[in-house]
Amino acid sequence: MNFEVIANARSVQGTGASRRLRRAGTVPGIVYGGKSAPVAIETNHNDLLLKLKKEAFHSSIISLVVDGKKEQVLLRDYQTHAYKPLVLHIDFQRVDATHELHVKVPLHFINEDVAPGVKLGGGLVNHVMTEVDVQCLAKNLPEFIEVDLSHMNAGETLHLNQLKLPKGVKLGHHAAADAVVVGIVGKSGGAEASESEGEAAAE
């Protein structure tokens, strides 16, 4: 999915200036990284709020147009009001096509309803992770990583090193390869409980 954010450079900074921008329906922010100096920017609030509601916006390469000049960036951080639907500040990082990115990418779980542990065993899917740290070049950045549960039985877990990563994508340096991503919990406490019940019935 392609996203474009239109922004203007801003010369006036500070708390008071940021408040005036927000009252005018714009969001203060900054773009940094690469060989260029950081640039303070402002962008339309409502347009940005709509984009932030889309999952892909958080893990996609974004075209940021500042005063007519386009550059490729990643969303790195943003602040929102504690209870109002207001974006208070946003940070973008410039993307270098020749250097690997370190990004959090969402996980999309599929075939949960047909997993043997759910369909036949009546188990429940336990999502331990909803996103994962990856490293890759900008051209290989996936919007999400698919996790197929169609083969999983009750009591089984799937670990990071079992994920099927897209070509050119690898786990981040700090990711523990044996960390659990998802599991299916048996309705009577998992695989061991199910085995015990089966042995009791056999007797």
Side-chain angles (χ1 to χ4, degrees):
M1 189 175 294
N2 298 318
F3 294 98
E4 184 175 85
V5 174
I6 307 298
N8 296 310
R10 58 187 173 97
S11 56
V12 181
Q13 300 183 45
T15 304
S18 294
R19 288 200 189 101
R20 287 192 291 274
L21 286 174
R22 294 178 190 120
R23 285 198 293 269
T26 57
V27 180
I30 190 169
V31 55
Y32 61 88
K35 297 179 181 179
S36 302
V39 175
I41 61 171
E42 58 182 272
T43 186
N44 180 269
H45 177 274
N46 291 341
D47 177 65
L48 186 61
L49 183 62
L50 288 174
K51 287 182 169 67
L52 285 169
K53 291 180 179 179
K54 297 179 179 180
E55 180 188 65
F57 185 70
H58 297 253
S59 58
S60 295
I61 303 299
I62 301 163
S63 292
L64 178 66
V65 183
V66 181
D67 294 338
K69 182 181 178 181
K70 182 180 292 189
E71 53 189 342
Q72 303 299 301
V73 300
L74 278 173
L75 171 65
R76 275 309 189 192
D77 194 18
Y78 66 97
Q79 291 82 47
T80 57
H81 192 277
Y83 55 89
K84 296 179 181 179
L86 294 174
V87 185
L88 304 179
H89 194 275
I90 192 153
D91 294 356
F92 293 108
Q93 181 181 356
R94 297 184 184 97
V95 169
D96 182 343
T98 63
H99 288 76
E100 286 191 334
L101 306 171
H102 188 173
V103 188
K104 286 184 180 294
V105 174
L107 299 173
H108 283 190
F109 299 92
I110 63 170
N111 294 323
E112 295 186 4
D113 55 334
V114 298
V118 175
K119 187 174 182 179
L120 303 178
L124 297 174
V125 177
N126 178 29
H127 301 101
V128 181
M129 296 184 186
T130 57
E131 58 183 14
V132 62
D133 283 313
V134 301
Q135 285 181 257
C136 62
L137 294 176
K139 66 179 182 179
N140 296 325
L141 179 64
E143 291 182 9
F144 60 86
I145 292 174
E146 198 168 76
V147 184
D148 187 359
L149 307 187
S150 61
H151 63 286
M152 292 187 66
N153 295 298
E156 291 184 344
T157 55
L158 187 144
H159 300 258
L160 276 179
N161 56 9
Q162 296 174 286
L163 292 178
K164 293 183 178 179
L165 300 175
K167 183 178 180 181
V169 179
K170 59 187 177 184
L171 294 176
H173 287 319
H174 302 295
D178 60 346
V180 175
V181 174
V182 63
I184 296 183
V185 181
K187 61 181 180 180
S188 299
E192 293 182 2
S194 298
E195 291 172 3
S196 298
E197 289 174 2
E199 291 172 0
E203 293 174 359

